[in-house]
Amino acid sequence: MRCFHSPLHRGHAGTHEIYRGELVPCFEKPERADFVLQAFQRAGLGEVSAPEDHGLAPIERIHAPRYLAFLARVWDAWAAQGGTRDLLPAVWPTRGFRDDIEPDNLVAQLGLYSFDSGSPITAGTWTAALAGAHCALTAQAAVAQGARAAFSLARPPGHHAGTDFYGGYCFLNHAAIAAQAFVDGGAARVALLDVDYHHGNGTQQIFYQRSDVLFQSIHGDPRTEYPFYLGHADETGAGTGLGFNANYPLPAGSDNTRWFEALEAACRRIVAHGAEALVVSLGVDTFEGDPISRFHLRTPEFKRLGARLAALGLPTVFVLEGGYAVAEIGDNVVSVLAGFEGG
């Protein structure tokens, strides 16, 4: 399996976030990707290559130009004001406020384009996120050119990022960008499956009114689990996208039998969709030892996940998402990929 990775991810190295009302060290850290890379190489799964530069055009197919311009300039604007610490928002335009006018105030801009206070922007955030998007696009290109599967090993993750907002440690939605690249390359039907513990709210928002990309997410019930305000079972799409969005919210603490039942239901829908390609938002924070999640998958069960996805027989792009048990993340991710290769 081809793996695409850029060391530029290390430029996004937040020092702190606000978690449950407290300022804590960031859970999303450079070591996450480092451990995955080491495990991938140790397992001998395939070649690791740098991504190609695909420019901004395929990224603009998913994200609004105004939002991309903000991400590209925000740190330099902060530094010009004498700022040196990580940027976190403090105010948001909730219901009744206007969001069509971009404020001149930098703090207000942060709130306009974000939805939480857990996603610090650092000096290297834009460069890292951009490199991650190129990893996903290069993985998609490899699969479109005939590879059975490819892996985008990048961070920060992406599935919480929407058309014009960031949050949940995510700034550019790499999985959505890869899915769009399949569509732009001629695929009439693409499936995007999110197996992260947290609902892929950004991906849902991007494709909610479309029928060419079937989005499905297996995740913790949003009544108690982040991101809270999206991911319920009755969210099935809108307009031409009605019926092409499926959520499988599971109560925190659900056993593995229930999780794999949801996976099976999702796989059946992928087959019924007639998908020509599959993009997997590969979060492994479903692991029993994850510090901010409450499912119980163990490392061997991730191999079962990979084998089931392989049985779909689709050209597949894996995109790294969450997983915050840092010491185990490499083994868990590689277990999925090895299961896919073996399957």
Side-chain angles (χ1 to χ4, degrees):
M1 181 182 295
R2 297 284 302 279
C3 172
F4 298 96
H5 173 74
S6 170
L8 292 175
H9 81 89
R10 297 194 63 84
H12 176 69
T15 59
H16 56 267
E17 64 179 87
I18 296 176
Y19 179 69
R20 295 178 180 172
E22 295 185 14
L23 197 64
V24 301
C26 288
F27 290 102
E28 205 291 298
K29 59 187 70 175
E31 290 81 2
R32 297 178 61 249
D34 295 340
F35 276 108
V36 175
L37 178 62
Q38 292 165 16
F40 186 92
Q41 293 173 321
R42 189 166 58 244
L45 283 176
E47 176 187 355
V48 178
S49 305
E52 298 177 4
D53 187 339
H54 292 259
L56 274 179
I59 299 169
E60 290 174 335
R61 295 284 289 142
I62 291 298
H63 293 290
R66 185 177 80 157
Y67 171 63
L68 294 174
F70 160 78
L71 288 179
R73 72 168 186 269
V74 62
W75 181 263
D76 288 342
W78 175 235
Q81 296 179 16
T84 57
R85 296 186 178 183
D86 296 354
L87 274 164
L88 286 172
V91 60
W92 291 268
T94 188
R95 292 168 294 279
F97 285 78
R98 292 185 65 173
D99 60 9
D100 58 315
I101 299 175
E102 184 181 77
D104 294 332
N105 183 283
L106 187 59
V107 173
Q109 291 176 16
L110 288 170
L112 180 66
Y113 293 114
S114 70
F115 69 89
D116 70 14
S117 56
S119 307
I121 290 179
T122 74
T125 297
W126 169 242
T127 301
L130 195 59
H134 291 315
C135 284
L137 285 164
T138 308
Q140 183 277 332
V143 170
Q145 293 163 13
R148 179 187 180 214
F151 174 39
S152 172
L153 200 181
R155 56 165 294 280
H159 70 147
H160 293 305
T163 302
D164 61 354
F165 60 82
Y166 71 91
Y169 313 142
C170 303
F171 300 89
L172 296 178
N173 196 314
H174 309 145
I177 290 167
Q180 183 64 50
F182 275 121
V183 172
D184 290 342
R189 291 176 178 263
V190 176
L192 203 166
L193 177 62
D194 192 322
V195 296
D196 192 280
Y197 180 80
H198 305 96
H199 177 249
N201 62 289
T203 314
Q204 174 170 308
Q205 180 263 336
I206 289 165
F207 295 116
Y208 202 64
Q209 298 188 54
R210 291 174 52 173
S211 61
D212 50 354
V213 177
L214 170 69
F215 175 64
Q216 299 187 94
S217 179
I218 307 169
H219 51 270
D221 192 323
R223 289 176 296 181
T224 62
E225 308 304 302
Y226 184 92
F228 304 114
Y229 307 111
L230 212 61
H232 297 279
D234 64 352
E235 297 159 11
T236 59
T240 59
L242 185 62
F244 294 92
N245 191 92
N247 289 318
Y248 305 88
L250 303 177
S254 291
D255 62 25
N256 295 339
T257 297
R258 192 166 181 181
W259 193 90
F260 277 100
E261 287 173 350
L263 175 66
E264 191 59 35
C267 287
R268 288 195 298 268
R269 290 193 70 146
I270 290 170
V271 172
H273 183 60
E276 300 164 49
L278 172 65
V279 177
V280 180
S281 274
L282 182 56
V284 293
D285 44 2
T286 49
F287 178 60
E288 64 176 357
D290 196 273
I292 60 173
S293 306
R294 296 190 283 173
F295 285 165
H296 302 292
L297 271 67
R298 302 180 181 90
T299 301
E301 288 157 326
F302 286 111
K303 190 171 185 179
R304 176 183 171 189
L305 163 60
R308 181 63 186 92
L309 297 178
L312 293 169
L314 294 172
T316 302
V317 173
F318 291 94
V319 177
L320 183 64
E321 301 286 3
Y324 307 100
V326 176
E328 295 87 1
I329 187 174
D331 290 338
N332 292 336
V333 168
V334 165
S335 187
V336 176
L337 302 179
F340 185 94
E341 293 288 81

